[in-house]
Amino acid sequence: MRFAFFFPGQGSQSLNMMAGFAGMPIVKAAFDEASAVLNLDLWAMINGGDADLINETVNTQPLMLAAGVAAWRAYQELGGKLPAALAGHSLGEYTALVASGSLLFTDAVRLVRLRAELMQEAVPQGQGAMAAVLGLDDEAVRQVCAQAEKECAGETAEAVNFNSPGQVVIAGSAAAIAHAVELAKAAGAKRAVPLPVSVPSHCRLMKPAAEKLAKALQNTDIKTPQIRVIHNADVAAHNDAVAIKDALVRQLYSPVRWTETVSLLVSEGITESAECGPGKVLAGLAKRIDKAAVCTALVSEDAVRGFIAAH
């Protein structure tokens, strides 16, 4: 039976998020490896008491990368079969590339920390915003954003995460997103709620960050993936380093096309998947995208063992 592995991005972090793997030294070792690169104790951070600290973008991105890689290594150590395809939501795309053998873990740690710094630098704290819009179709959300941009001259509002039918995240300038939230409610959205993030990811405000990230990627060694990785920006897999780097650069200012990613796999007969990393966000989205899609969240050693036994 063929199955896919999905890697979560920002928003799935929580304190003590690797507690389910307490008996597996390989998990702590992955955090130690990432910590050494950054000269920062990531393990202490997730097992501490400061939620604000792990929610800062510059910390969240390396933490989620380390968590996904740690869970992947735990799965391999327990004898899990290789998936037929990999995909990661936003930041999770880097984790997927590490799992595919395309990108060295230590290089990925450096890249995601830089990516986070560049994103924060591109839009200073308080100037950008993101919001989740529930209960409107994709086109209605796009129209709401277009109207918000028109009515807030010179401001940005874009649909940036197509997470599942009826769940779209918007991002842009704080004023335009606040206005778009009101417009979405007026257009019949069940809910339109601001998200607690400091950076408006995946909108055109991230273009300056993308240009700087492209320079860092020029000096990064990327190999042909050993497992197919489906990218966010174009819902396609790439084999050569130039195309993979280009997909990572475009990903910063392009929408995350998650609904299409899951739908593509289902259309190929890959209906089973595992969410490799903390949280159950992607497992929940899979069900909403296609009733045939079954995604298991590998949040503990027991969950991993159960998935391996069933596959």
Side-chain angles (χ1 to χ4, degrees):
M1 181 191 292
R2 295 192 308 152
F3 55 88
F5 258 50
F6 298 147
F7 296 92
Q10 278 183 258
S12 291
Q13 71 277 5
S14 62
L15 292 171
N16 305 307
M17 63 187 178
M18 303 308 286
F21 294 95
M24 298 193 72
I26 198 166
V27 168
K28 164 94 167 30
F31 275 81
D32 289 347
E33 197 179 333
S35 296
V37 172
L38 301 177
N39 196 19
L40 194 65
D41 193 338
L42 298 176
W43 189 254
M45 211 181 269
I46 62 162
N47 293 301
D50 190 348
D52 289 342
L53 192 61
I54 68 164
N55 289 335
E56 285 175 26
T57 295
V58 291
N59 295 326
T60 310
Q61 295 200 27
L63 285 171
M64 285 303 299
L65 172 75
V69 169
W72 169 251
R73 288 179 177 177
Y75 171 80
Q76 288 183 300
E77 185 174 72
L78 293 169
K81 293 192 194 106
L82 288 183
L86 306 169
H89 191 286
S90 185
L91 165 83
E93 194 164 288
Y94 288 80
T95 325
L97 287 167
V98 173
S100 77
S102 175
L103 184 58
L104 279 176
F105 180 37
T106 48
D107 285 344
V109 172
R110 279 186 207 95
L111 278 173
V112 301
R113 176 73 173 203
L114 175 67
R115 177 181 185 265
E117 287 166 354
L118 293 174
M119 289 167 78
Q120 193 68 75
E121 204 177 274
V123 181
Q125 195 106 8
Q127 290 186 17
M130 296 181 81
V133 179
L134 309 179
L136 287 183
D137 66 40
D138 295 356
E139 192 47 43
V141 177
R142 285 192 190 99
Q143 285 171 4
V144 158
C145 288
Q147 190 182 340
E149 285 196 339
K150 199 168 153 192
E151 291 171 9
C152 301
E155 304 281 321
T156 300
E158 291 177 46
V160 297
N161 289 2
F162 295 96
N163 285 335
S164 68
Q167 186 185 328
V168 180
V169 173
I170 60 175
S173 324
I177 294 303
H179 188 46
V181 162
E182 297 312 313
L183 292 172
K185 288 175 184 166
K190 283 185 199 144
R191 288 177 72 204
V193 288
L195 297 175
V197 294
S198 55
V199 171
S201 307
H202 304 292
C203 73
R204 63 180 178 272
L205 297 178
M206 289 294 122
K207 280 206 164 167
E211 285 161 15
K212 290 175 183 168
L213 182 69
K215 287 188 183 130
L217 279 163
Q218 278 171 4
N219 306 317
T220 304
D221 185 30
I222 288 188
K223 297 181 173 67
T224 301
Q226 300 304 297
I227 308 168
R228 180 170 63 130
V229 176
I230 299 163
H231 291 270
N232 291 176
D234 50 15
V235 199
H238 303 290
N239 284 323
D240 74 288
V242 174
I244 291 168
K245 289 175 183 183
D246 179 57
L248 289 175
V249 171
R250 283 185 293 131
Q251 189 228 53
L252 256 193
Y253 59 83
S254 304
V256 174
R257 294 162 62 182
W258 195 252
T259 300
E260 291 171 85
T261 299
V262 175
S263 299
L264 171 72
L265 291 166
V266 171
S267 75
E268 294 175 359
I270 303 174
T271 54
E272 295 228 10
S273 58
E275 179 171 3
C276 189
K280 300 180 178 182
V281 171
L282 302 181
L285 292 179
K287 273 194 214 87
R288 288 205 284 277
I289 291 167
D290 195 307
K291 286 189 173 61
V294 181
C295 185
T296 306
L298 305 183
V299 293
S300 65
E301 181 181 346
D302 287 348
V304 172
R305 287 184 185 278
F307 184 83
I308 291 170
H311 297 82

